[in-house]
Amino acid sequence: MSDPRIAGASVTQFGKHPERTGRDLFAEAGLEALSQAGIDPEDAEALYYGNFMGELAEHQGHQGPLMAEAIGLDVPATRVEAACASAGTAVREAVKTIRNGEAEVVVVGGAERMTNIGTAAATDALAIAADDLYEVRAGMTFPGAYALMARSYFDQYGGSHEDLAHIAVKNHEHALVNEHAQIQQEITVEDAIEAPTIADPLGLYDSCPITDGAAAAVLTTEAYAEEHDLDAPVAITGTGQGGDNLALQDRPHLAQTPAADKAAEEAYGDAGVGPDDVDFAEVHDCFTIAEVFAIESLGFYERGEGIAAARDGETTRDGDRPINLSGGLKAKGHPVGATGVAQLATVTWLLDGSHPRADAVPDSTVGVAHNAGGTVASTTVHVMEVQE
């Protein structure tokens, strides 16, 4: 069994591109990833592509073959949908395809076009990742859902909006040097606290933006990389996936994310590492409280302790274990179907030293990507390591 090597990765500029189609965005990312890898497109044997709301934003389904065509591939192409974890799930399928010997070269990616339909329509489209019958029809939106989860966390463990503000400030600061980031704007704790409320206790700066963008990566076997003399020192050594009940009212708790617990446990076991071995992580911070859930589920903190991590400086670029050096979804942006592969690209670049924040983790050898869907009803976790 071969752990996939990451031979090339690319991310478009995240932000507002209402004039660009999804296929145009993905073509940019996919062609650049293939170019970076130095691989003949004819060697690619499969495409796994993440997309969540293409039917609603572009009236376009059946996107797998469309995106394969956009990057010049004549391969079996599969679209993967798991809400905001679509791309992370696509990565997991690509890993399994290489490991089980079905392919030596697989392209994985994702894209989302959202801003063209406006904020209200995008909010409605995102809501279909919740339970339509029992949540959406009652007026539930994802800001409201995560506000409920934040309130539950505060009631059970303590914490405040000021603690969340420190997460927003950290991630905005991390994004300042990220050329792909949607928001390159420094903010203060006071800015975050005083910003307009979106769903109490969450404010404007607790929420990720609506984003257009795409990401792609080329995965190969170790043997293929060696045979073709590819510069691919980073491997995906662990993969895990977990699930939970879709609707919040069907869960015994709102202040924990057991889907992420399961995914992390599986990924760590697969890689043969533990939380203490991880140097940094890119986690799914669609809202600031989601970063807290993530770092606790990943085993970096006990329940109730993750809320203070940013405030205490432990997850900043100068901290013991930096979290979201890219700026996270909070500042980098969140084109839903692309996010999991964008995380994969960031971890790769941090490990190989090519990311502008790599100086924060100069001797790192192990990174983690955590991608969550909905109110963390779906989660993937991937462990990535530098190979000798």
Side-chain angles (χ1 to χ4, degrees), residues 131-156:
D131 187 323
D132 179 71
L133 186 59
Y134 294 111
E135 291 183 312
V136 179
R137 297 186 191 187
M140 176 73 78
T141 64
F142 276 104
Y146 274 91
L148 289 173
M149 296 169 78
R151 284 175 171 267
S152 178
Y153 187 97
F154 291 166
D155 288 345
Q156 187 168 348

Side-chain angles (χ1 to χ4, degrees), residues 67-138:
M67 297 308 170
E69 180 185 359
I71 61 173
L73 301 185
D74 181 15
V75 298
T78 304
R79 175 189 174 185
V80 178
E81 189 276 300
C84 306
S86 296
T89 309
V91 171
R92 180 167 163 81
E93 293 306 309
V95 170
K96 291 193 290 185
T97 296
I98 286 180
R99 282 182 166 181
N100 67 22
E102 290 184 34
E104 288 190 297
V105 179
V106 175
V107 178
V108 62
E112 208 74 68
R113 187 181 181 211
M114 304 171 70
T115 67
N116 60 302
I117 60 175
T119 300
T123 301
D124 286 344
L126 290 166
I128 68 170
D131 187 323
D132 179 71
L133 186 59
Y134 294 111
E135 291 183 312
V136 179
R137 297 186 191 187

